[in-house]
Amino acid sequence: MNIEYLKETDPEIYEVICREIAREQNKILLIASENYASRAVIEAQGSVLTNKYAEGYPGRRYYGGCEYADIVERLAIERAKELFKAEHVNVQPHSGSQANMAVYFSFLKPEDTIMGMSLAHGGHLSHGASVNFTGKLYKTVFYGVNKETGYIDMGEVKDLAEQYKPKMIIVGASAYSRVLDFEAFSEIAKEVGAYILADIAHIAGLIIAGEHPTPFPHVDFATATTHKTLRGPRGGIIMCKAEYAKAIDRMIFPGIQGGPLVHVIAAKAVAFKEASTQGFKEYQKGIISNAKRLASGLTKHGFKIISGGTDNHLMLVDLSNMNVTGREAEESLDNAGITVNKNAIPYDDKPPSITSGIRIGAPSVTTRGMGIAEMDEIANMISEVIKDINNPSTIANVSVMARALCSKYPIY
Ligand code: DSN
């Protein structure tokens, strides 16, 4: 990465970025929501478009000099519409949470009831968690996963919807390894007269590639982030039916945001172009086969995977039978050169700062070209660390192996 001007101007930040590049290169990154954006995405995001104010929408701006911002945003919108087969797209949300906020604020009033997946079972903060604005503004009802199977219990979803009559049902997750049945959710929403929002932040790339069912035409709205399986810049996006377009656009600007981040929108457009290629489809297939292989490798080593495996890019590992907490595992694995995040498992008896599990995802290792054989190596390394978690020499040995593996797969 060429950041030579920065070296002259701000050696401290330059140094930190160099160290971050080395961290990303030298560790096996298994955080399910992260990825390595392409150089082209990073170049667009690092461009002079950051200088431009462009409040409004293409052709209807509140500043002069927006002719190139207009081209950028129109390209991003058209590419996203094509990829997701969506009637309308807004590419301005700065994040997934703001995308969700715009949907809620457009169609709900405070005290309305929303129903989402429980954060403790793999849902997301912005789907009604009590510590989030959604939990403070709205009444909330949560569905979860079945204790025995680890799958979402659609019978429970239906019963809760009938009982609480939510105004909006949210289908989406941050730590659920199975297929989301958008059609079944939408049937339930129709039956109780609820709007339906699909939050596809984690699985956007899989959906584009046809590796997960698409939410459209079943849902009213879909929100996503662009930096997870989609592999673009950090940011958000809203897709919706044409009838909701005006309300959504007005809520993003001027409702909850000011000037769009034109440089990020340019990088989103680049990512959408990359996502339209056959190579991207193969990449998404690779993510799933790597995730499945990691899950089966860990299972062979005696680890319990919630729901018994994965259909997507991630898995939740229950460490209770290993007598190790998620926090201990996260720390020791990172010291061994393998970065994961501690994660509550469904029905966890430990607090979120400790947890009984870790979440593992395959997008980043797949981006750098690793395949089945490497997944087996990684499963072995994880097993060695967790089973000998108090032994510094095991951690040191694994960190040498992790670094050697990473050196075969440069990220940039
Ligand atoms: N924080 C993200 C994740 O890690 O899944 C979701 O927004």
Side-chain angles (χ1 to χ4, degrees), residues 351-412:
S353 56
I354 298 180
T355 81
S356 302
I358 50 175
R359 185 183 64 164
I360 291 182
S364 301
V365 285
T366 310
T367 298
R368 66 195 297 173
M370 293 185 191
I372 296 300
E374 291 74 28
M375 296 308 110
D376 290 347
E377 275 187 64
I378 293 170
N380 290 345
M381 289 187 232
I382 292 173
S383 176
E384 280 191 38
V385 171
I386 304 279
K387 290 177 181 166
D388 202 11
I389 197 142
N390 293 317
N391 187 345
S393 72
T394 299
I395 290 175
N397 287 345
V398 171
S399 80
V400 171
M401 288 191 263
R403 205 180 167 107
L405 181 59
C406 288
S407 70
K408 290 197 230 158
Y409 296 92
I411 56 173
Y412 292 110

Side-chain angles (χ1 to χ4, degrees), residues 28-37 201-206 227-232 280 283-292 294 310 312-315 339 359-371 375 378 411:
I28 298 168
L29 303 185
L30 296 174
I31 293 184
S33 49
E34 294 182 2
N35 212 327
Y36 307 109
H202 266 263
I203 53 175
L206 305 178
H227 50 272
K228 298 187 174 93
T229 47
L230 187 42
R231 226 190 134 207
F280 185 82
Y283 164 57
Q284 299 294 324
K285 273 197 176 67
I287 292 175
I288 295 182
S289 64
N290 277 346
K292 281 182 183 293
L294 255 178
T310 180
N312 61 22
H313 61 302
L314 64 76
M315 69 214 69
T339 305
R359 185 183 64 164
I360 291 182
S364 301
V365 285
T366 310
T367 298
R368 66 195 297 173
M370 293 185 191
M375 296 308 110
I378 293 170
I411 56 173

Side-chain angles (χ1 to χ4, degrees), residues 117-124 172-176 316 343-344 346:
M117 188 169 187
S118 157
L119 181 62
H121 284 209
H124 188 254
S174 293
Y176 183 63
L316 258 184
N343 211 106

